Amino acid sequence: MPDTDPTTAEINGLRARGDRLAADNAAVRMRLAELERQRDERDEQIGRLIGSLNDAARRVGELDRARAEQEHRADKERWRFEELRLRRWTRLGPALAALRRRPLAPAALRRVRDALRERPLPPEPPAEPRRTRRPDVRVADTEPVEPAGAAPRPPEGPVARPGLVAAVVLGPVLEAALRYEWTQVAGLKPGDWWETLEARRPALLLVESIGTGLPVAEMAAWCRERGVPSAYWDTGAGLGEAAGAFDHVFTVDSGAVPEHRRRLGHDRVTHLPFAAQPRLHNPVRVHDHGRYPLLYEGEYDATAEPLIAPAPRLGAHFAATGVPHLYRQRVVPPWPHERAASARKRYQVMIAPDARRAYEAAAAGVPVVHHRADAAPSFGPAVEDGKDAGRILRALLRAPELRDRQAHLALREIHAAHTYRHRVDTVLEKLGSAPVRRDGRPTVSLVMSTCRAEQIAPAVEMIAAQEWRPLQLVMVLHDLDLDPVQVQKQAMAAGLDDVAVLTADRSRTLGACLNMAIDAADGDYVGKVDDDELYGPHYLTDLVPAFSYTDAGVVGKLAHYAHLGSIDATLLRYPDLENRYVDVLRGGALLGQGGLMRSYRFADLGRGEDTDLFKRLRADGVRVYAADRFSFVTIRHADAARHTWRPSDLELLSESRVAFYGFAREHILF
């Protein structure tokens, strides 16, 4: 039977079915978000109940201790009374009195004889009251939890420098982290390492200070003969005997640099700390994200005891070794590094991590509390006083906004200077084995169509204030009688170096105007902004790194703040839809890969062009990622006619949470 083309009715029916499925999918996602909120409320209630149980257990323990002290005092008094009663002189007095009354009575004589006989005294009670112990509170959710199931598979790529071949002798943690930075030749064997390197000549050799059966000094000599630079990285074990054979030495301990230089007899020693690998350490949400309060991970450090001591009462878990028996109920063996990256995200706060775990926790969006004022890296407060330790921990656990702000600032710092891309740049610079990417930042083009002349100046000012450079602005003047050259000069005077201003008449739709801007944009990433929304100076510096740790083609905002002008209130919309993959984003806060945006473009529509874009992306399997809620605010004026999208205030309130009244700029646009 020959194939026939579908009829228009069939096509419309399939489209309608697709729209219904999309609507059902959106409804399911909203229902999931609601269930997660309910789960969080339940967890909060459980937390309060656990706290009440612990308070009750403490009071019971205090009552038991008081009762033991009372019993001890009573036993002492009974013993003293019995001792006094059994003493001979206390019995002799009454016996002699009886003998005086009846001197010749046999009974009186026997009584005197009995009084003179020494009787054994009762044993003395112990010097201290009996010891009591506080009752154990055993609640399932207070026990340490290991990640369920198999370890997650690490992502395959991408590799930042596929053309750079590096031979490495690294431990499993660094080997897993650095495989995304270059083409890595690992797994070398003692018997044939030279054959492997001859078959694939590396551009450099990097050896970590770990125990290995490989002749690393001989490998360094092999590299020197062939003009291949070599580096030794002391990651905490100190200098091995072979360290002197390498061209350059790195160390994670900045304080060890002078001693290493003295011992090696040269100054080719550089501080190279640990870092985070965004492909492995990132804030993308996991199951049970933030479910548990506190985590201590790694080797027990006695100097952190002032900070650790109050932690068990606040629900801490210890994924550690060497932990005192006192904390036994909350200890599990340390997680393998491939599990730890996701397991940490199940906790709200991380206590006193070592340097490597501090970088990794900060990259995962987990707030950190240190136990030394000179802690490096210092992602978060340092607490050395035992009295303040419990206070700062409780403050962080009870204030989600405080936690999230601290975590967000730390994450921003990680992507600014502390990823393994930055560390590899340092290695390459010192070894001179490959050019360092000085222009590593991609270009971002922001496209904006405006039909309101009064909005141009504030919009340009916000875009010019962006910390991200290089930055291009492409603006379309939609049905505005303005000189594009003057608008361009105005934007450049505000601080933008690359500005293109286009004009479009009234017949053009918004989608067509945006496509004009996309055609003129030449950035590696293309983003859409609106002229009546607010963007913080770190809007782009926070968004662009999301491409390094997700598989998304488009990133942006879904959880966000909205200022409701009618009641001067700031709402938090979709609070559970941040740091996760989603179906749609806010139309005024999206950033896509340049090639993808030029390929998909916007539909020739006057309204709903964003929804149509995400519908087509979803149909083609292009992933969309919603980042954090900060650095972006939607403005809803009291006069709804000023907006193309016009939901009622009640509709917005019904699906949002009132964060505060007024507009706290520093709270959102920091």
Side-chain angles (χ1 to χ4, degrees):
M1 184 176 181
D3 294 338
T4 58
D5 293 334
T7 64
T8 302
E10 290 173 336
I11 293 175
N12 291 336
L14 290 173
R15 286 177 175 170
R17 184 169 179 268
D19 291 341
R20 287 196 300 272
L21 290 175
D24 290 344
N25 187 30
V28 169
R29 287 183 177 271
M30 294 300 294
R31 177 56 179 160
L32 286 174
E34 181 181 353
L35 290 174
E36 288 192 358
R37 284 196 296 272
Q38 293 175 358
R39 184 201 66 187
D40 293 341
E41 292 173 358
R42 182 202 65 189
D43 291 345
E44 184 178 351
Q45 184 181 15
I46 289 174
R48 290 195 297 269
L49 291 173
I50 292 171
S52 298
L53 285 173
N54 278 294
D55 288 342
R58 175 182 54 78
R59 290 194 296 271
V60 169
E62 292 173 352
L63 290 173
D64 282 347
R65 186 164 56 251
R67 185 178 65 182
E69 292 173 354
Q70 292 288 347
E71 290 175 350
H72 182 256
R73 284 196 290 269
D75 290 343
K76 277 280 192 181
E77 293 302 322
R78 282 193 294 269
W79 177 81
R80 291 193 183 97
F81 173 78
E82 190 66 16
E83 180 192 38
L84 183 64
R85 189 179 67 81
L86 295 176
R87 293 287 182 184
R88 283 183 292 184
W89 62 268
T90 58
R91 291 180 284 117
L92 185 59
L96 290 175
L99 183 64
R100 288 192 197 98
R101 290 193 299 271
R102 302 178 63 187
L104 301 178
L109 293 173
R110 285 197 300 274
R111 190 170 180 180
V112 171
R113 186 173 63 249
D114 290 340
L116 292 173
R117 186 186 305 124
E118 186 174 357
R119 295 186 181 183
L121 299 177
E124 185 176 359
E128 300 291 336
R130 64 178 175 85
R131 296 187 63 181
T132 61
R133 72 185 293 268
R134 169 180 161 172
D136 288 333
V137 177
R138 294 186 177 274
V139 181
D141 278 350
T142 69
E143 297 301 310
V145 177
E146 290 202 59
R153 291 185 59 184
E156 293 298 325
V159 176
R161 300 175 180 85
L164 176 62
V165 178
V168 300
V169 180
L170 303 171
V173 175
L174 284 180
E175 183 176 321
L178 288 173
R179 64 185 289 257
Y180 301 99
E181 301 303 326
W182 47 35
T183 298
Q184 197 156 270
V185 179
L188 300 173
K189 298 179 181 178
D192 61 358
W193 58 267
W194 62 90
E195 296 180 1
T196 303
L197 298 186
E198 285 287 3
R200 191 167 197 182
R201 182 69 61 88
L204 62 94
L205 169 68
L206 178 63
V207 174
E208 185 184 358
S209 59
I210 58 172
T212 176
L214 289 165
V216 293
E218 185 179 340
M219 294 171 66
W222 183 93
C223 288
R224 184 174 296 107
E225 291 174 1
R226 291 157 179 80
V228 176
S230 60
Y232 185 91
W233 194 359
D234 169 23
T235 55
L239 294 181
E241 294 181 0
F246 289 80
D247 297 328
H248 205 95
V249 172
F250 297 97
T251 177
V252 297
D253 182 4
S254 60
V257 171
E259 175 59 24
H260 285 1
R261 288 177 175 175
R262 184 197 64 77
R263 179 177 169 184
L264 295 170
H266 62 72
D267 62 356
R268 299 187 307 277
V269 180
T270 302
H271 177 223
L272 188 71
F274 289 110
Q277 174 51 257
R279 295 298 290 168
L280 303 176
H281 315 118
N282 54 68
V284 180
R285 290 178 65 92
V286 298
H287 176 66
D288 281 346
H289 196 104
R291 180 182 181 89
Y292 303 104
L294 295 169
L295 172 65
Y296 182 94
E297 183 187 359
E299 180 69 26
Y300 173 75
D301 184 354
T303 63
E305 185 60 32
L307 182 57
I308 295 174
R313 295 193 298 274
L314 299 173
H317 295 161
F318 296 83
T321 57
V323 179
H325 189 66
L326 174 66
Y327 307 124
R328 66 192 182 282
Q329 288 180 285
R330 297 185 171 274
V331 176
V332 294
W335 298 305
H337 71 93
E338 60 269 16
R339 283 193 173 192
S342 60
R344 292 184 194 114
K345 291 190 277 191
R346 299 181 176 186
Y347 292 85
Q348 297 171 15
V349 178
M350 194 166 178
I351 308 169
D354 56 37
R356 177 176 67 81
R357 291 180 175 88
Y359 285 114
E360 295 174 2
V366 181
V368 170
V369 179
H370 300 283
H371 65 291
R372 296 193 311 272
D374 60 346
S378 57
F379 299 125
V383 182
E384 297 180 284
D385 186 339
K387 292 182 180 179
D388 289 339
R391 293 169 183 161
I392 189 64
L393 291 176
R394 282 192 293 271
L396 284 168
L397 293 176
R398 293 173 181 174
E401 294 292 335
L402 178 64
R403 287 199 309 270
D404 291 351
R405 183 185 179 90
Q406 177 184 323
H408 189 70
L409 289 172
L411 179 63
R412 184 180 292 166
E413 187 175 348
I414 284 286
H415 286 286
H418 299 296
T419 68
Y420 279 107
R421 177 179 63 83
H422 297 99
R423 302 298 181 255
V424 168
D425 282 347
T426 301
V427 171
L428 297 180
E429 181 179 8
K430 294 299 180 181
L431 296 183
S433 58
V436 180
R437 299 183 305 177
R438 297 299 182 188
D439 58 345
R441 277 193 163 192
T443 300
V444 173
S445 295
L446 293 180
V447 301
M448 179 178 70
S449 176
T450 179
C451 59
R452 291 168 287 206
E454 71 278 5
Q455 292 296 119
I456 293 177
V460 166
E461 183 180 348
M462 277 189 298
I463 294 172
Q466 290 297 308
E467 295 286 339
W468 186 272
R469 292 294 186 276
L471 177 62
Q472 179 190 44
L473 170 63
V474 184
M475 183 188 305
V476 178
L477 304 177
H478 191 193
D479 192 28
L480 288 177
D481 186 18
L482 296 175
D483 183 357
V485 175
Q486 292 302 318
V487 175
Q488 182 185 38
K489 290 180 178 179
Q490 178 184 356
M492 297 184 74
L496 289 167
D497 297 327
D498 190 351
V499 182
V501 180
L502 311 174
T503 60
D505 58 33
R506 181 179 298 181
S507 64
R508 295 264 190 168
T509 64
L510 176 57
C513 292
L514 292 171
N515 289 334
M516 289 175 58
I518 289 175
D519 290 337
D522 52 20
D524 300 296
Y525 296 107
V526 175
K528 174 178 174 285
V529 294
D530 288 344
D531 61 4
D532 58 351
E533 315 287 27
L534 299 183
Y535 302 86
H538 290 281
Y539 169 76
L540 288 175
T541 56
D542 292 340
L543 269 190
V544 174
F547 289 103
S548 70
Y549 58 78
T550 69
D551 301 320
V554 180
V555 303
K557 307 284 186 179
L558 187 50
H560 67 284
Y561 291 97
H563 185 258
L564 201 58
S566 60
I567 59 174
D568 191 23
T570 301
L571 314 179
L572 178 56
R573 307 193 67 213
Y574 313 120
D576 298 311
L577 297 178
E578 64 178 337
N579 296 319
R580 61 172 56 194
Y581 291 98
V582 294
D583 288 337
V584 297
L585 296 170
R586 286 292 304 167
L590 63 89
L591 181 68
Q593 296 170 353
L596 181 142
M597 295 298 291
R598 294 181 185 97
S599 173
Y600 278 82
R601 302 164 64 81
F602 289 96
D604 192 0
L605 300 171
R607 185 181 300 179
E609 71 287 340
D610 306 319
T611 304
D612 174 82
L613 171 65
F614 290 116
K615 180 180 177 181
R616 288 182 285 125
L617 291 173
R618 185 168 60 248
D620 290 346
V622 178
R623 304 195 79 180
V624 175
Y625 179 77
D628 59 88
R629 65 187 182 273
F630 299 111
S631 294
F632 172 70
V633 184
T634 296
I635 302 298
R636 304 302 303 176
H637 298 284
D639 180 8
R642 297 179 62 179
H643 303 284
T644 55
W645 179 60
R646 300 171 183 175
S648 67
D649 290 353
L650 185 58
E651 182 180 350
L652 292 174
L653 284 167
S654 67
E655 58 184 24
S656 307
R657 186 172 75 213
V658 176
F660 38 77
Y661 280 85
F663 180 64
R665 176 179 291 270
E666 178 57 26
H667 182 76
I668 306 171
L669 304 179
F670 61 91

